[in-house]
PDB file of all heavy atoms in Angstrom:
ATOM      1  N   GLU A  41     -14.497  -7.852   2.446  1.00  0.00           N
ATOM      2  CA  GLU A  41     -13.684  -7.487   3.601  1.00  0.00           C
ATOM      3  C   GLU A  41     -12.345  -6.890   3.170  1.00  0.00           C
ATOM      4  O   GLU A  41     -11.884  -5.890   3.727  1.00  0.00           O
ATOM      5  CB  GLU A  41     -13.452  -8.725   4.466  1.00  0.00           C
ATOM      6  CG  GLU A  41     -12.701  -8.452   5.744  1.00  0.00           C
ATOM      7  CD  GLU A  41     -12.523  -9.702   6.583  1.00  0.00           C
ATOM      8  OE1 GLU A  41     -13.160 -10.719   6.308  1.00  0.00           O
ATOM      9  OE2 GLU A  41     -11.704  -9.643   7.531  1.00  0.00           O
ATOM     10  N   VAL A  42     -11.714  -7.486   2.164  1.00  0.00           N
ATOM     11  CA  VAL A  42     -10.440  -6.971   1.666  1.00  0.00           C
ATOM     12  C   VAL A  42     -10.635  -5.600   1.023  1.00  0.00           C
ATOM     13  O   VAL A  42      -9.826  -4.689   1.226  1.00  0.00           O
ATOM     14  CB  VAL A  42      -9.804  -7.971   0.678  1.00  0.00           C
ATOM     15  CG1 VAL A  42      -8.632  -7.344  -0.047  1.00  0.00           C
ATOM     16  CG2 VAL A  42      -9.375  -9.220   1.399  1.00  0.00           C
ATOM     17  N   ALA A  43     -11.713  -5.413   0.263  1.00  0.00           N
ATOM     18  CA  ALA A  43     -11.973  -4.120  -0.376  1.00  0.00           C
ATOM     19  C   ALA A  43     -12.169  -3.026   0.677  1.00  0.00           C
ATOM     20  O   ALA A  43     -11.648  -1.915   0.531  1.00  0.00           O
ATOM     21  CB  ALA A  43     -13.199  -4.215  -1.282  1.00  0.00           C
ATOM     22  N   ILE A  44     -12.890  -3.336   1.727  1.00  0.00           N
ATOM     23  CA  ILE A  44     -13.099  -2.362   2.806  1.00  0.00           C
ATOM     24  C   ILE A  44     -11.778  -2.057   3.507  1.00  0.00           C
ATOM     25  O   ILE A  44     -11.477  -0.899   3.814  1.00  0.00           O
ATOM     26  CB  ILE A  44     -14.156  -2.878   3.804  1.00  0.00           C
ATOM     27  CG1 ILE A  44     -15.531  -2.908   3.141  1.00  0.00           C
ATOM     28  CG2 ILE A  44     -14.180  -2.030   5.069  1.00  0.00           C
ATOM     29  CD1 ILE A  44     -16.583  -3.623   3.952  1.00  0.00           C
ATOM     30  N   GLY A  45     -10.977  -3.089   3.755  1.00  0.00           N
ATOM     31  CA  GLY A  45      -9.677  -2.887   4.399  1.00  0.00           C
ATOM     32  C   GLY A  45      -8.759  -2.016   3.551  1.00  0.00           C
ATOM     33  O   GLY A  45      -8.079  -1.128   4.066  1.00  0.00           O
ATOM     34  N   CYS A  46      -8.736  -2.259   2.245  1.00  0.00           N
ATOM     35  CA  CYS A  46      -7.899  -1.454   1.347  1.00  0.00           C
ATOM     36  C   CYS A  46      -8.372  -0.010   1.302  1.00  0.00           C
ATOM     37  O   CYS A  46      -7.557   0.918   1.305  1.00  0.00           O
ATOM     38  CB  CYS A  46      -7.902  -2.043  -0.058  1.00  0.00           C
ATOM     39  SG  CYS A  46      -6.981  -3.577  -0.191  1.00  0.00           S
ATOM     40  N   ALA A  47      -9.680   0.181   1.276  1.00  0.00           N
ATOM     41  CA  ALA A  47     -10.211   1.545   1.264  1.00  0.00           C
ATOM     42  C   ALA A  47      -9.844   2.284   2.550  1.00  0.00           C
ATOM     43  O   ALA A  47      -9.461   3.463   2.522  1.00  0.00           O
ATOM     44  CB  ALA A  47     -11.725   1.516   1.082  1.00  0.00           C
ATOM     45  N   ALA A  48      -9.938   1.593   3.681  1.00  0.00           N
ATOM     46  CA  ALA A  48      -9.571   2.217   4.961  1.00  0.00           C
ATOM     47  C   ALA A  48      -8.083   2.546   5.003  1.00  0.00           C
ATOM     48  O   ALA A  48      -7.684   3.635   5.447  1.00  0.00           O
ATOM     49  CB  ALA A  48      -9.942   1.288   6.115  1.00  0.00           C
ATOM     50  N   LEU A  49      -7.253   1.620   4.531  1.00  0.00           N
ATOM     51  CA  LEU A  49      -5.804   1.853   4.517  1.00  0.00           C
ATOM     52  C   LEU A  49      -5.444   3.019   3.602  1.00  0.00           C
ATOM     53  O   LEU A  49      -4.641   3.882   3.963  1.00  0.00           O
ATOM     54  CB  LEU A  49      -5.085   0.589   4.080  1.00  0.00           C
ATOM     55  CG  LEU A  49      -3.571   0.617   4.111  1.00  0.00           C
ATOM     56  CD1 LEU A  49      -3.074   0.838   5.526  1.00  0.00           C
ATOM     57  CD2 LEU A  49      -3.007  -0.674   3.552  1.00  0.00           C
ATOM     58  N   ASN A  50      -6.055   3.075   2.422  1.00  0.00           N
ATOM     59  CA  ASN A  50      -5.789   4.182   1.497  1.00  0.00           C
ATOM     60  C   ASN A  50      -6.213   5.520   2.088  1.00  0.00           C
ATOM     61  O   ASN A  50      -5.530   6.528   1.928  1.00  0.00           O
ATOM     62  CB  ASN A  50      -6.502   3.948   0.168  1.00  0.00           C
ATOM     63  CG  ASN A  50      -5.831   2.886  -0.663  1.00  0.00           C
ATOM     64  OD1 ASN A  50      -4.648   2.622  -0.501  1.00  0.00           O
ATOM     65  ND2 ASN A  50      -6.590   2.273  -1.545  1.00  0.00           N
ATOM     66  N   ARG A  51      -7.325   5.530   2.798  1.00  0.00           N
ATOM     67  CA  ARG A  51      -7.788   6.776   3.418  1.00  0.00           C
ATOM     68  C   ARG A  51      -6.832   7.214   4.530  1.00  0.00           C
ATOM     69  O   ARG A  51      -6.508   8.393   4.655  1.00  0.00           O
ATOM     70  CB  ARG A  51      -9.184   6.589   3.974  1.00  0.00           C
ATOM     71  CG  ARG A  51      -9.755   7.868   4.564  1.00  0.00           C
ATOM     72  CD  ARG A  51     -11.167   7.688   4.986  1.00  0.00           C
ATOM     73  NE  ARG A  51     -12.019   7.807   3.808  1.00  0.00           N
ATOM     74  CZ  ARG A  51     -13.337   7.873   3.868  1.00  0.00           C
ATOM     75  NH1 ARG A  51     -13.950   7.789   5.021  1.00  0.00           N
ATOM     76  NH2 ARG A  51     -14.036   8.011   2.776  1.00  0.00           N
ATOM     77  N   MET A  52      -6.349   6.262   5.322  1.00  0.00           N
ATOM     78  CA  MET A  52      -5.410   6.596   6.395  1.00  0.00           C
ATOM     79  C   MET A  52      -4.091   7.112   5.825  1.00  0.00           C
ATOM     80  O   MET A  52      -3.514   8.073   6.338  1.00  0.00           O
ATOM     81  CB  MET A  52      -5.163   5.370   7.272  1.00  0.00           C
ATOM     82  CG  MET A  52      -6.363   5.007   8.114  1.00  0.00           C
ATOM     83  SD  MET A  52      -6.284   3.398   8.926  1.00  0.00           S
ATOM     84  CE  MET A  52      -4.676   3.365   9.603  1.00  0.00           C
ATOM     85  N   LEU A  53      -3.610   6.486   4.750  1.00  0.00           N
ATOM     86  CA  LEU A  53      -2.363   6.934   4.133  1.00  0.00           C
ATOM     87  C   LEU A  53      -2.533   8.303   3.485  1.00  0.00           C
ATOM     88  O   LEU A  53      -1.617   9.122   3.493  1.00  0.00           O
ATOM     89  CB  LEU A  53      -1.886   5.918   3.097  1.00  0.00           C
ATOM     90  CG  LEU A  53      -1.398   4.588   3.669  1.00  0.00           C
ATOM     91  CD1 LEU A  53      -1.097   3.610   2.550  1.00  0.00           C
ATOM     92  CD2 LEU A  53      -0.186   4.787   4.544  1.00  0.00           C
ATOM     93  N   ALA A  54      -3.699   8.577   2.924  1.00  0.00           N
ATOM     94  CA  ALA A  54      -3.947   9.881   2.312  1.00  0.00           C
ATOM     95  C   ALA A  54      -3.947  10.992   3.360  1.00  0.00           C
ATOM     96  O   ALA A  54      -3.490  12.111   3.088  1.00  0.00           O
ATOM     97  CB  ALA A  54      -5.274   9.865   1.557  1.00  0.00           C
ATOM     98  N   CYS A  55      -4.417  10.686   4.554  1.00  0.00           N
ATOM     99  CA  CYS A  55      -4.419  11.691   5.622  1.00  0.00           C
ATOM    100  C   CYS A  55      -2.996  12.041   6.057  1.00  0.00           C
ATOM    101  O   CYS A  55      -2.726  13.181   6.426  1.00  0.00           O
ATOM    102  CB  CYS A  55      -5.203  11.176   6.821  1.00  0.00           C
ATOM    103  SG  CYS A  55      -6.964  11.069   6.551  1.00  0.00           S
ATOM    104  N   ALA A  56      -2.109  11.073   6.027  1.00  0.00           N
ATOM    105  CA  ALA A  56      -0.743  11.294   6.497  1.00  0.00           C
ATOM    106  C   ALA A  56       0.192  11.802   5.399  1.00  0.00           C
ATOM    107  O   ALA A  56       1.294  12.239   5.688  1.00  0.00           O
ATOM    108  CB  ALA A  56      -0.182  10.001   7.066  1.00  0.00           C
ATOM    109  N   ARG A  57      -0.249  11.740   4.151  1.00  0.00           N
ATOM    110  CA  ARG A  57       0.609  12.146   3.040  1.00  0.00           C
ATOM    111  C   ARG A  57       0.673  13.679   2.971  1.00  0.00           C
ATOM    112  O   ARG A  57      -0.358  14.344   2.988  1.00  0.00           O
ATOM    113  CB  ARG A  57       0.051  11.593   1.730  1.00  0.00           C
ATOM    114  CG  ARG A  57       0.968  11.763   0.552  1.00  0.00           C
ATOM    115  CD  ARG A  57       0.442  11.055  -0.686  1.00  0.00           C
ATOM    116  NE  ARG A  57       0.374   9.620  -0.456  1.00  0.00           N
ATOM    117  CZ  ARG A  57      -0.737   8.895  -0.582  1.00  0.00           C
ATOM    118  NH1 ARG A  57      -1.856   9.457  -0.942  1.00  0.00           N
ATOM    119  NH2 ARG A  57      -0.714   7.602  -0.354  1.00  0.00           N
TER     120      ARG A  57
END
Side-chain angles (χ1 to χ4, degrees):
E41 184 179 348
V42 169
I44 292 170
C46 288
L49 185 62
N50 286 336
R51 183 175 279 189
M52 289 168 46
L53 291 174
C55 290
R57 189 173 297 123

